[in-house]
Amino acid sequence: MGRALSFPYGPAAGARIWGVSYSRSVGSVTYRFDDLKTLMARASPARSGDELAGVAARTAEERVAAQMALADLPLDEFRRHLLVSYEADEVTRLIVDELDEAAFRDFAHVTVGEFRDWLLSEQATAENLSALARGLMPEMAAAVSKITRVQDLIAVAAKIRVVSRFRTTVGLPGRLSTRLQPNHPTDDPAGIAASILDGLMLASGDAVIGINPASDSVERVVTLLRLIDRMRTTLQIPAQSCVLAHITTQMEAMRRGAPVDLVFQSIAGTEAANSSFGVNLPMIREAWQAAMELKRGDCGDNVMYFETGQGSALSANAHHGMDQQTCEARAYGVARHFRPMLVNSVVGFIGPEYLFDGKQIMRAGLEDHFCGKLMGLPMGCDICYTNHAEADQDDMDALLTLLGTAGVNFIMGVPGADDVMLNYQSTSFHDALYVRGLLGLRPAPEFEAWLERRGGELPGAVKLLAGGDFHRA
């Protein structure tokens, strides 16, 4: 990174370290934290999942004391005291083994607080932020987010552009893409095709046309893949497709000759949590290599689509005592290895047990976007909530506007914002048009050119749909 990236800070002071425990005094009270994992959890902004796990700060004052202690901690502390054992966890091994030592060396001595100050400085340019991304452990990104207020999460993320390519180019400045999500409760091809056409007519689908299947059968997945591919080739749409089945189902679909563009998998931040999804790193690597060998992209070879969410590790009792936001950041360490096309934080999907209300969902969405971008990932967000959460569409409108300002790569486009198969509330095709219009953003350039060239033909495609052309296997 050269001379442009320098940190004018000396040795850390303030937080007292007792062996591998930490403490901070506030007035006449001294708060002690048994280990780095505990310090991180106590410093996390309040959320219901950490309270459920028993790791949250017990009082607001304890949280502030932990944040103050964390701010004074050198970043190198996270490399010297791993939160999950290297020997016991393949995610930890991946994070440690892939750390860019040259990039890390420039700021190893810097404290978490000093690093936050540098991120907000003029010296933290897009070029410098990109150069340091692979020198950051996920835990370092999580730590700085815990002491960063909302406006600063937005300001830093807005500096960072992470561009990915397959048939469209996603993440360019001045652009906002969408995943067209045409789910159907019975996987009815005609219903799905109608939703796809609806989304296309409203400029949705340039990130991916992605279906969550109601059934994980290989036959159903192959049928849906062929459906999207027939629509794509008939209308000459520059877009990538994905059917969000289990990764093993998608691999079998590839073996059967199905037109697989992006390979999907939900991932988490520990080996045990990924095991609960029925996956491990070698399995994901095998699918990645298989998709790469298909060479279906027109302008790039980013072939992976990952989804994550705060609380996923805790829900599987696989969090190793970590707070949920740190677990989430570790999932980004997994994603980074595979050079993905899309990484989607499905922020409010798991439910109020983990993010109780609109305020917690909003903060979590901005944290996830900040950490992912800081680590060099093409971050999107499913701005969503479940119907039993203390949240509503006003909360989602606010988060949508904030993430648009922060430079999010993509959001969801769900018919009516109401997913009739997954039964949760997300963002609609019209929501994407709102934030594009408000902030002067446009779709991916290839998709925008196609809309200008062939958009007028889309209403006529309904006749093809009525004739059955789009849902033949």
Side-chain angles (χ1 to χ4, degrees):
M1 287 176 282
R3 293 169 55 193
L5 185 57
S6 60
F7 295 88
Y9 305 115
R16 295 183 179 181
I17 302 175
W18 307 88
V20 291
S21 65
Y22 309 87
S23 71
R24 184 74 188 214
S25 295
V26 178
S28 60
V29 179
T30 297
Y31 292 91
R32 287 190 171 82
F33 310 99
D34 291 340
D35 52 29
L36 187 52
K37 189 184 301 183
T38 302
L39 177 63
M40 289 279 279
R42 299 290 196 269
S44 292
R47 58 208 56 191
S48 52
D50 291 340
E51 294 174 7
L52 179 66
V55 301
R58 288 155 289 196
T59 65
E61 186 175 87
E62 183 185 29
R63 179 174 295 110
V64 170
Q67 290 171 341
M68 293 169 70
L70 185 62
D72 286 331
L73 208 65
L75 291 174
D76 191 51
E77 194 78 2
F78 293 96
R79 191 171 58 167
R80 294 192 293 115
H81 300 294
L82 301 176
L83 301 191
V84 184
S85 164
Y86 182 93
E87 293 75 19
D89 187 87
E90 67 176 3
V91 174
T92 298
R93 292 194 292 274
L94 180 70
I95 290 167
V96 172
D97 294 348
E98 294 211 328
L99 184 69
D100 185 330
E101 292 287 347
F104 178 67
R105 194 176 303 122
D106 283 338
F107 57 93
H109 66 286
V110 173
T111 68
V112 173
E114 290 166 346
F115 186 52
R116 181 199 60 186
D117 292 345
W118 181 84
L119 290 172
L120 292 165
S121 73
E122 293 182 359
Q123 193 178 18
T125 61
E127 181 182 4
N128 283 338
L129 288 166
S130 177
L132 66 78
R134 289 193 170 271
L136 275 177
M137 294 174 66
E139 295 86 349
M140 299 172 188
V144 73
S145 77
K146 294 179 192 301
I147 63 166
T148 301
R149 61 191 293 187
V150 162
Q151 66 175 245
D152 295 339
L153 293 172
I154 294 168
V156 173
K159 299 181 185 185
I160 305 170
R161 305 309 308 186
V162 182
V163 178
S164 56
R165 295 177 173 87
F166 190 80
R167 289 196 188 94
T168 59
T169 304
V170 174
L172 292 169
R175 307 279 177 169
L176 173 66
S177 296
T178 60
R179 170 190 163 186
L180 202 170
Q181 185 169 310
N183 295 344
H184 191 280
T186 64
D187 289 336
D188 177 61
I192 289 171
S195 292
I196 292 174
L197 284 175
D198 187 23
L200 291 172
M201 285 189 281
L202 292 168
S204 185
D206 52 330
V208 64
I209 301 173
I211 304 169
N212 294 90
S215 167
D216 199 60
S217 75
V218 177
E219 293 75 16
R220 182 69 57 84
V221 168
V222 170
T223 296
L224 295 178
L225 285 166
R226 288 175 177 165
L227 161 69
I228 307 176
D229 201 58
R230 182 168 177 78
M231 295 187 72
R232 183 186 66 80
T233 55
T234 300
L235 298 173
Q236 299 181 338
I237 309 167
Q240 37 280 339
S241 65
C242 185
V243 175
L244 285 69
H246 192 269
I247 200 167
T248 54
T249 307
Q250 295 169 83
M251 285 193 283
E252 180 58 30
M254 281 190 270
R255 284 190 281 268
R256 297 188 187 186
V260 174
D261 289 344
L262 304 187
V263 173
F264 163 81
Q265 183 55 49
S266 294
I267 56 172
T270 69
E271 180 178 345
N274 286 324
S275 294
S276 76
F277 295 149
V279 298
N280 54 42
L281 297 184
M283 185 185 296
I284 299 173
R285 191 172 293 112
E286 179 185 355
W288 177 42
Q289 293 168 347
M292 291 280 285
E293 290 170 4
L294 296 178
K295 300 185 185 300
R296 289 178 56 83
D298 294 335
C299 63
D301 62 356
N302 300 118
V303 298
M304 300 303 292
Y305 174 20
F306 293 118
E307 287 191 346
T308 66
Q310 289 195 29
S312 58
L314 173 59
S315 69
N317 195 28
H319 59 300
H320 294 276
M322 289 183 289
D323 66 273
Q324 64 185 39
Q325 192 257 335
T326 299
C327 287
E328 172 74 2
R330 284 170 55 91
Y332 303 153
V334 175
R336 183 167 60 180
H337 174 74
F338 297 100
R339 300 191 302 109
M341 179 72 188
L342 308 168
V343 179
N344 180 24
S345 166
V346 191
V347 64
F349 183 76
I350 302 181
E353 299 83 0
Y354 305 95
L355 295 169
F356 180 72
D357 56 17
K359 181 176 181 179
Q360 292 188 9
I361 292 171
M362 192 177 306
R363 169 82 196 190
L366 293 169
E367 288 171 347
D368 295 349
H369 180 250
F370 168 90
C371 289
K373 282 286 186 71
L374 200 56
M375 292 173 60
L377 289 174
M379 289 300 298
C381 186
D382 190 343
I383 301 161
C384 64
Y385 65 100
T386 57
N387 289 318
H388 61 306
E390 290 294 321
D392 59 26
Q393 206 61 45
D394 286 346
D395 296 313
M396 300 306 103
D397 286 350
L399 180 54
L400 169 64
T401 306
L402 294 174
L403 282 169
T405 306
V408 69
N409 280 26
F410 66 97
I411 60 171
M412 303 300 105
V414 177
D418 183 5
D419 192 302
V420 296
M421 194 277 282
L422 294 174
N423 293 310
Y424 78 113
Q425 308 303 310
S426 184
T427 47
S428 70
F429 307 139
H430 292 87
D431 292 331
L433 295 178
Y434 147 73
V435 77
R436 281 173 175 163
L438 177 71
L439 301 175
L441 304 172
R442 294 147 58 194
E446 302 87 350
F447 194 79
E448 182 182 39
W450 173 79
L451 285 170
E452 292 173 352
R453 187 174 66 253
R454 301 204 58 177
E457 302 173 21
L458 288 174
V462 176
K463 297 179 180 178
L464 295 176
L465 171 62
D469 290 64
F470 283 146
H471 58 268
R472 292 187 310 202

